[in-house]
Amino acid sequence: MNHYYGWGLPVNISTHGAAIDHLIYVIHIFMAVLFIGWFIFLIYALIKFRSRDGHKAIYDINHFKVPTYLEVFVALLEVVLLVGFSFPIMNQVRQQIPDKSKALEVRVLGEQFAWNIHYPGPDGLFGKSAPEFMKPGSPVGLDPEDPIGKDDVVTINQMNIPVHRPVLVHLSSKDVIHSFFLPVMRVKQDAIPGQSIPVWFEATQTGKFEIACAQLCGLGHYRMRGFFNVQSPEDFAKWLVSKAPKKRIPATPRVPAPLKSFVEDSTATVASHTTAPS
Amino acid sequence: MSALIRYISKPHPVSGVTNAKLGIWCFLASELMLFGGLFSAYIVLRGSASEWPHGSAVLNVPLATLNTLILISSSVTMVMSWASLALKNLKKFRFHLSMTILLSLAFLVIKGFEYHSKFEHHHFPSTDNFFGMYFTLTGLHAIHILGGVIVNAYLLFPGSKLYETEPEQFLGRIEAAGLYWHFVDLVWIFLFPVLYLL
Amino acid sequence: MSSGHHHSHPPQEAHSNHEPDLPFWQKYIFSVDHKVIGVQYTVTALIFLLVGFCLMLLMRWQLAYPGKEIPWIAGWFSERQMLGGIMLPEFYNQLGAMHGTIMIFLGVVPLAVGGFGNYVIPLQIGAPDMAFPKLNMASYWLFLIGGVIMISSFFLPEGAAQSGWTSYPPLSVVAAGGQTTWLVGMLFLIFSSLLGSMNFIVTIVQLRADGLTFFRLPFFVWAQFVTSFLLLLAFPPLQAAAVLQFMDRVFHTSFFLPSGLVVAGKVLEVAGGGNPILWQHLFWFLAHPEVYVLILPAMGICAEVMTCNTRKPLYGYKSMIYSTIFLGFMSFVVWAHHMFLTNMGTKMSTFFQITTMIISIPSVIILTSLILSLWGGSIRFKTPMLFAIAFLPMFAIGGLTGLPLGLTAADIHLHDTYYVIGHFHYIVAPGTLFGLFAGIYHWYPKVTGRKMSEVLGKIHFLGTLIGMNCIFMPMFIMGIAGVSRRLWDPTQYAHAVPTQPLNVFISIAAWCMALGQIPFIINFFGSLIWGKKADDNPWQATTLEWATSTPPPHGNFATPPQVYRGPYEYSVPGQRTDFLPQNVKGDN
């Protein structure tokens, strides 16, 4: 997996991520130019005006034009960064929520210290859920009486999505604030209890990646890691069927939930790495 | 040493106030931000609540009205005590300041009865956010009243010795205590309609 | 520190004529003299800074060598902190939360405001003391009580607060008992800062010497003046928030708890209906102005030190003052840029992005003015000057790296990563702390009557400069790689593994920098005994604190000074000396 991650930005496999990366590069070039300019001036001034025999300070220095130009330059660049980059990107990320008919809808529910992923199943509808039904065997608290929820698929720490299809995540949390972070997707959003927050993204290539928690959520914050697989539509469909509740319901709830998901992951369908050599 | 510090009893020629007066205004600005923060929390919580009890239905409005009148009268007696002192009428000053203290104690006693009846009806801070806010805001206000009582009692008894040596400085202290007292009164005048009537 | 001048002056001489000899405890412990209180604040805050630094040195072991036994000192800790010599995650979180709390609320602010503000402001404005000396003493003792409560929580069975210095609910409400101690400590600290800030405002407005108009005040006093307003007005909302969180924890209200929380598999039995984001708004309403509380006094110190050591006036004195005031106002309307990922509306995030970009302009003006102040000077590279010069590029890095965080789009990736840690540490650690070190080296002769060693000072400077950059520069790389903050074991995440060698590097740099502080400690205490004696004005400076004797007597000035001119009249043409003190009539 290491070839996705290094000392720079993680590899980007989302449709919107390139614009964010571009912005990060542009700002850093701007910052570097400004800083190096300042720094050279600083060093030059320190050498030129060092105290030495025969050198005296000048009381009255004529007013410079440079600072005014610098201020205007910085202000203009900030306007460009805001209007040219940040606003349009945010508009794309926050406002242009994909059409529900085309997108795959998923509920993601954070808890100390795992990610519960809830797929609506073949009927495309999420079953009712409530806090009082949240038990070891039923991490998202599906109402057992609700027929719509019968075909819903629930996984723990394992999120699979199809490539080239928008995914609309309804993000929430059971207990404390978490932050749903998909490094390769340039997605990060706080999961706040009591709120359901829409997040969307679309993957451009398949592969196995990870979900991280970016907000301190307690002593297990460091291990709140989930697996994030981007699969071809066929593989994804197969995977979803393999997780369908017929097989899962008899599963004994005695097995500690996170452990179970780790076991499942090791046998999970391995997506073909189309671009990166494995 | 304190004799070296200027503008303790005479106002600064430019700012026009004594140190104590400027200090108490700064303090009140800070207090305003404290209650402002709590009021905005109240607004946020109430705005997002699915249900919020009508104050008059669960709280004792007649008792709170009585308390409002008591507190307003105590503000009046506070002004009277300052005015009497300014006219150098010590006897009247003592009477009005004592009245202020007695009225504030009466306020606290009535508040205590109110709390007691809430507990008897099993209304606790944890009942819901309405009662949580009610107890937090009125409790913090009661602590401010208590602070005022302590300050006023100090100024009535041991603190009044200053009048013999520095009458102007002492008058300034009474004025500062009065400003604080009006502020506490004002907070209640906000709290009363917000909690009991709206 | 005050015992130092026993060696140079007999006590009765140092403490002037008009005050009868006070018993020791009134003179040095429960003193109402702003100079003693300033020294008390300084020494206490330096000790707290050292404690906070040590907590971090401990955490750095776990970050560099996750899950490995800590050598040598593991035995000092209880089983609730370390198991088999391995730091437990809950203890790591306690260290993290307390490092932030101690450094900010017990270290930097008390040093910058309580220490330097208390000692220097009355002297610089020609006042005999603060306006309310008794409140000043109360402020220090409340601070000390608050600090002791905070530190003592480590020794309680449930440990210290472990939800970060930001204490976000619901985590902080459902967390172990240490959080309540934190809240109680916080209430003391807030009350202390309230008393202090109102005292500063009144002192600066009322007690300036004759002729010392607002536009003749040293920039340091201006910086402290604006800082005091920030403390006065920004802290109360945090106090309100702390009261509400205290109610949530102790009386089981649910101001910050929404309905239907399921914690550890059980439905939480509270009324619900609260809002966890409410805390963040109230918290950051304080904590963003707090950033300027941290940085403005350091800028003020740099202005003092730089003018004195360039021997020329400050460039753009008035525009720096206007910028500072503007910065103060703006700092109240940028707070939500810490919360871009809390699902705020686009309009709101647009508003806060714009205000965040606007607030960078006055910071650029101040920084540029300071750099341009070097131009045309005759620069003496004394230790305080070295720290003041180094402040400039360090603060520039800190400020610039705020830009990508202030733009929501870039913040999506960088939020809550090591990039943020690197950013604010460049502001506060090599930034503010360099300013504060400059101040210590600059005013030490005035306080003690002796100079600190230049050799040890320069060793300290180099060690700290290199150390700080080795520690915080790699954090930007880690942040860009996406490594989240507050991870007990970063290697759990595949995306954090490639940059793990940087963690080892940072830890070694931090431990080396700790060694680099030893010359400072030796210098600080040793110079009391063997430092060169300083006369009244060892730096040949112009401001009023140098116009009185060294160390200043109780009451500060034998006769109230009269001020004739602005604060930085260096190298005035036609004068015999290259400095013209504010209280001296000129040659012509």
Side-chain angles (χ1 to χ4, degrees), chain A residues 28 59 78 86 188-189 210, chain C residues 341 353 360 415 419 495:
Chain A
H28 280 85
Y59 172 73
E78 287 181 348
S86 195
K188 190 182 286 164
Q189 172 62 52
E210 63 188 354
Chain C
L341 298 189
Q353 282 185 82
S360 68
H415 193 90
Y419 198 92
H495 70 271

Side-chain angles (χ1 to χ4, degrees), chain B residues 178-196:
Chain B
L179 284 170
Y180 170 79
W181 195 250
H182 300 324
F183 175 81
V184 174
D185 192 10
L186 207 64
V187 170
W188 178 257
I189 289 174
F190 267 96
L191 283 183
F192 176 55
V194 164
L195 291 173
Y196 291 81

Side-chain angles (χ1 to χ4, degrees), chain A residues 5 7 28 49 51 55 57-59 71 78 86 90 95 174 181 188-190 210 213-214 218 221-222 224, chain C residues 262 311 341 346 353 357 360 365 376-377 379 408 412-413 415-416 419 482 486 493-495 498 569-571:
Chain A
Y5 311 113
W7 278 33
H28 280 85
F49 297 106
S51 163
H55 173 75
I58 312 159
Y59 172 73
E71 286 300 330
E78 287 181 348
S86 195
M90 284 319 282
Q95 304 289 74
K174 274 187 196 179
F181 181 28
K188 190 182 286 164
Q189 172 62 52
D190 285 359
E210 63 188 354
C213 179
H221 168 54
Y222 71 96
M224 192 164 158
Chain C
V262 180
R311 317 303 296 161
L341 298 189
T346 316
Q353 282 185 82
M357 291 300 127
S360 68
I365 293 178
I379 302 168
T408 42
I412 291 177
H413 183 68
H415 193 90
D416 268 332
Y419 198 92
R486 296 166 166 172
Y493 287 110
H495 70 271
E569 294 298 285
Y570 291 99
S571 303

